[in-house]
Amino acid sequence: MDVQLTLTGILDRAVDLFSDREIVTKRPDGSVHRYTYADAYARTCQLAHALDDLGVSEGGRVATVAVNHFRHLELYFAPPCSGRSIHMCNMRLPDAHFQYIVNDAEDEVLFVDPAFIEKVEANADAFETVERFVVLADEVPETSLDAVAYEDLIEGRPTEYDWPDLDEDAECGMCYTSGTTGKPKGVAYTHRGVYLHSLMCGHVDANGVSESDVVLPVVPMFHANGWGLPYAATLVGAKQVLPGVHTDPGSVAELIDEEAVTLSAAVPTIWLEMADYLDEHPEVDISNIDRLTVGGSAPPESLIRKYDERYDAPIIQGWGMTETTPLGTLSTLRTELRDRPKEEQYRYRAMAGLPVPGVEVRIRAEGEDEDVPRDGESMGELQVRGPWVVGEYHNRPEATRSGFTEDGFLRTGDIATMDEMGYVDVKDRTKDVIKSGGEWISSVELENELMAHEAVAEATVVAVDHEKWQERPLACVVLREGHDASEAALRDHLADRFPSWWLPDVVEFVDEIPRTSTGKFDKRTLRERYGDVVLEEGDV
Amino acid sequence: MDVQLTLTGILDRAVDLFSDREIVTKRPDGSVHRYTYADAYARTCQLAHALDDLGVSEGGRVATVAVNHFRHLELYFAPPCSGRSIHMCNMRLPDAHFQYIVNDAEDEVLFVDPAFIEKVEANADAFETVERFVVLADEVPETSLDAVAYEDLIEGRPTEYDWPDLDEDAECGMCYTSGTTGKPKGVAYTHRGVYLHSLMCGHVDANGVSESDVVLPVVPMFHANGWGLPYAATLVGAKQVLPGVHTDPGSVAELIDEEAVTLSAAVPTIWLEMADYLDEHPEVDISNIDRLTVGGSAPPESLIRKYDERYDAPIIQGWGMTETTPLGTLSTLRTELRDRPKEEQYRYRAMAGLPVPGVEVRIRAEGEDEDVPRDGESMGELQVRGPWVVGEYHNRPEATRSGFTEDGFLRTGDIATMDEMGYVDVKDRTKDVIKSGGEWISSVELENELMAHEAVAEATVVAVDHEKWQERPLACVVLREGHDASEAALRDHLADRFPSWWLPDVVEFVDEIPRTSTGKFDKRTLRERYGDVVLEEGDV
């Protein structure tokens, strides 16, 4: 029974049983690249030979700076299966962080999309360990980098590779947290962790990725293993659809239509905007969709309702982090809830949900040894442990000490509640929750309710200082085109659901809300922007 | 990420998230015992304390001689989670084998159902290591054994237990192969293997055991972990229905009706006979059934068709062995087959099916290093490897050497084909295949086709010696009550499907076919019975 759980096993199964299934990529020029798992396997073997020739060391890391496409998928397997590791870089990081992660990971070769060559050129001098650059294209565009084209690199090499026997605890990949405060932290995944995560992703009580699915990860492949979808889809031999740079809601909708996609995953914004696109393009048909997974931030209930009613496309929320590979919880409906009224179901489906099989979850108040009551109201920090939850940060003993409990749970920094059925509801980030007069106000709940207002396109809520109450909420609202709403109207809207002391003292109408490198609302920037606002009693 | 995969994790999840789900047992007197996972957990803790007091050693084994009921389920967890192991004995073994397995496993305590006390009494003197007997009942019936009642044993003990941290590679349980030839062979399972098997059982591309299921294992819990169902059901918190001694088709049908069972598992005979029962009892409603898993031997296509058409209850065949925990393949329909004609689908569904995620399968001719072609025709031995396929037999180095290949595959002793899509079709056991003039005739295929004849209740085919052809097939047929069929009519029936040289030379009409301790046709006894039959050319 000492068979090791490795990515080689995932790859082998796909090519053994589903060699003729398709992997479809939308190229930058809008044309479509199609090939099969058999083709992908042959090229993955060629790439592994190329890594040998490039002299990538045993256990050494290769970096990718790339969107979702077939070459990136080949890189998901060739380095780890040949005994190395893939480090997927987020190209939206600021330069200083980009340099830091490449050096911290000691990346030996860097694979880059033509679109991001400038970003790499601008930082290449600061890279201490990168010995070669590979451009993920047929040929190398004009560049100052000493680079080879991916196709030239692999061309003519053998299409079989004698994969080594690997220890399942060996590192297979690495991502960095985007860290809105401080330096990004490196998270190293093991073959075992990713294998188990992939197996779990196919579980009925998780998101049930199956050989009958057509999977479209809109979430970038550099973002927590593309939420594990490329690996889970390969394990089962599902058809994969990779959108490349075409992740705008219109392109995604059309790709879903053209390729008969059944499962797609993205941050809520994509599905929010895609709904508008579908309203304007009734000819686009997304009826093959069986479920849409969202993560990164919670979807408003109104969005779940809209997709249910209009497209019969259930939105399932997942919660996870880079540290959790990432799937930790999923808002599937327990049997007990399936005959409840729709409105009640939407309330559960908008939560982070139930721990997936394999993951342990608990909610603890700071400094306490007992879990908070499972009453759906008591807040505390969400802490998780499981075979695909990492136990440390790379090269960062201090961050590891503060980031994990003594008994091995990850301190997520999320403030959450749990109810008697085990549903986790994330209320806020520890650093975003608004501490008003000794009580906590959830910025996330206020945001969701604001976004449920028909005039609101986007909304975020941050803490500003208050002379008496320490902190009070300030809302930034982007109105929907052609709609209007007054500050009083929005406050009235919130008053239906929240106690009066939760209502934002100030509502700022803005054209745009700044976002982080992973597309989340950038609350740090907003807090800085409104940092000199100090409210006094009677200001509102 | 060094979280160990243990049965404690399975138990913890059930009680953490699904503590109020029911576990239902039909008692010997026909009354129903109901309790929740919370109750089961408390009693499992009590049992663990009792094992401590009984002095069961670390890693020591406790034997069970029991059918499927709640106390047996508690025994599925308390010994392994407290660092021991459960050895589930097949009480239908002949005495000599029963004595052998208890001594070979060095069982320290033996838990026995009242119904099997006589069997235990008859062998107790030969047990070398058993120090105590526990009767799985409220009180001890009259017996020569030094026995305590299970309820007395656990009563009053603490309902919490401080489960030890276990190594996932530790043994959690043990079953013996029933071995129609030679002594039974011990198969030791690890926590890791059973955990992974349980996770896989919930995979959509396996049998998708979910929290929404109501699971009824008709297959005995001493038969390869009850096909893994009790563990898989506990991992997801599914309601479990345990039939006790009531495994006759009528009782099973009624239990399915009363408890709204969605998933049940048994050998084909049960479903064959249940169909007759349902014909006679149209008031019994099995419409909640979502799928019926069969294993042990292949179901005839006619049975699959009947359950589809009449009850909308798909029969899914699984293939496995004691050595494989047991699930190895499952006859789910690949997407490509879902719009094919029903008749074609039935053909695939009657096969052993596709390797489940995690299991590697290959078909090799004796002495060859290459797999046979995947043409659905070339036969060879089915060999399997995977994280829940054991790698050795307990205390039997020689059996281990002959039972496994050098690269760690289990030699299953099954003769099978594989087609281009990966569907495995088991044609025979190595020792049952009929070697006629240098060609192979599958006894299993002949049996299935015979059983598809409306007049045939049961049929089996064995080899008898032949002067010219070495071996020729002989069929034993049990006719259905009120039906009649001549030898010639049955041979005509087979001639529609098989070449003339496959047709049995002799058809014997018998009242009953002898069965093994696991309910399979006992071909060894039949071969002995017809051992002096030597056919000559022209006999037919």
Side-chain angles (χ1 to χ4, degrees), chain A residues 457-503:
Chain A
E458 288 183 345
T460 190
V461 174
V462 296
V464 290
D465 293 335
H466 189 280
E467 287 197 331
K468 178 171 179 191
W469 302 113
Q470 287 85 48
E471 289 182 356
R472 292 292 303 154
L474 172 148
C476 291
V477 170
V478 179
L479 289 176
R480 203 174 276 278
E481 230 180 270
H483 286 75
D484 205 4
S486 68
E487 187 167 342
L490 293 181
R491 212 177 275 117
D492 283 351
H493 172 74
L494 295 175
D496 291 343
R497 176 121 174 221
F498 302 110
S500 61
W501 59 273
W502 272 53
L503 305 191

Side-chain angles (χ1 to χ4, degrees), chain B residues 443-474:
Chain B
S443 66
V444 173
E445 287 197 65
L446 289 172
E447 288 163 4
N448 284 344
E449 194 61 24
L450 281 169
M451 285 192 278
H453 190 284
E454 56 169 10
V456 175
E458 288 182 345
T460 191
V461 175
V462 296
V464 290
D465 293 336
H466 190 281
E467 287 198 333
K468 177 170 179 191
W469 302 113
Q470 289 85 48
E471 292 182 354
R472 291 292 302 154
L474 173 147

